Amino acid sequence: MSLESLGPRRVLDDPAAMRAFAHPVRLALHELLLRAGPATAAEAAREVGISQALASYHLRQLARYGFVEQAEARDERERPWQVTDAVQEWSDAEPGSETSAARGLLERVMAERALSRLVEWQRRRQDETGEWRNVGGIGNSYVYATPEEIAALGEALKDLLEPLMARVFDPADRPEGSRPVLLTRLVVPLPPTGRPE
């Protein structure tokens, strides 16, 4: 299996698209469509907790930049939306460029969203069964590695995640007891200490 088997893969290199995607409501709507499949603006609004007009506006903005598109309607009255690609990656931008600034904004908003989800999890962890209570949380590892080794680690992680990511699009493949899980990977190169290492 490869990431291509999960559907189209998009490399974000347009600063305007990156900034458009870096909106908390749009990220929430995009995630909802990934998790639940096609949904109308009214359905999405109820799930995300916003007005239908606001959901419709943000879905149109996501469509403008190619993140969602109209899905096949179940009847003539509804207009469901669906995601266009399952995987987004960022371009490697020149430092100080508009793309670099947009990438930084997108990464910050996504990290803030992941941290708020962690806080939410911590609030409800005690209400979970033991199995789920023990799998959520955060870990920290300090390593010494080259850029090539970190890139290889990222590729190995992608390989491990692909079969699990495929279940997003095929509910029949989801084992009993499975549920959505947010995995956020933060890779932060630290500055040298100034001492011989």
Side-chain angles (χ1 to χ4, degrees):
M1 180 183 287
S2 68
L3 284 176
E4 286 72 30
S5 67
L6 299 177
R9 174 188 208 167
R10 181 173 181 186
V11 176
L12 294 179
D13 56 5
D14 174 14
M18 292 170 123
R19 285 191 302 272
F21 199 45
H23 190 288
V25 172
R26 293 178 194 150
L27 288 171
L29 290 167
H30 192 268
E31 178 185 307
L32 172 69
L33 296 177
L34 272 172
R35 288 177 56 186
T40 65
E43 293 165 338
R46 279 191 298 276
E47 288 293 321
V48 174
I50 58 176
S51 72
Q52 181 176 344
L54 192 58
S56 183
Y57 169 77
H58 285 297
L59 285 165
R60 286 193 310 273
Q61 290 301 306
L62 286 168
R64 177 180 176 191
Y65 291 99
F67 295 104
V68 302
E69 65 188 4
Q70 294 277 237
E72 188 175 321
R74 295 172 282 238
D75 65 42
E76 292 181 18
R77 293 177 292 145
E78 42 177 48
R79 295 184 54 191
W81 296 89
Q82 65 186 9
V83 296
T84 55
D85 42 62
V87 178
Q88 292 88 30
E89 296 177 347
W90 332 137
S91 70
D92 187 22
E94 288 296 317
S97 70
E98 186 180 355
T99 304
S100 176
R103 176 184 179 168
L105 172 66
L106 179 56
E107 288 177 340
R108 279 191 303 277
V109 171
M110 293 186 95
E112 289 166 2
R113 181 170 168 73
L115 288 174
S116 72
R117 300 302 279 280
L118 175 63
V119 170
E120 171 193 313
W121 162 251
Q122 290 171 334
R123 281 191 211 118
R124 61 184 169 78
R125 180 186 326 219
Q126 294 308 310
D127 299 331
E128 293 286 342
T129 64
E131 295 171 323
W132 282 107
R133 191 178 310 129
N134 294 325
V135 297
I138 193 166
N140 229 11
S141 299
Y142 288 91
V143 299
Y144 280 78
T146 65
E148 296 79 15
E149 289 170 325
I150 294 299
L153 181 63
E155 289 301 314
L157 185 57
K158 283 180 189 177
D159 291 343
L160 289 170
L161 289 175
E162 284 174 10
L164 303 176
M165 290 171 62
R167 295 175 183 169
V168 169
F169 300 101
D170 192 356
D173 282 348
R174 298 175 193 165
E176 186 176 330
S178 67
R179 64 196 254 192
V181 175
L182 174 65
L183 295 173
T184 301
R185 181 180 59 151
L186 298 175
V187 178
V188 183
L190 301 174
T193 63
R195 294 177 28 198
E197 298 180 354

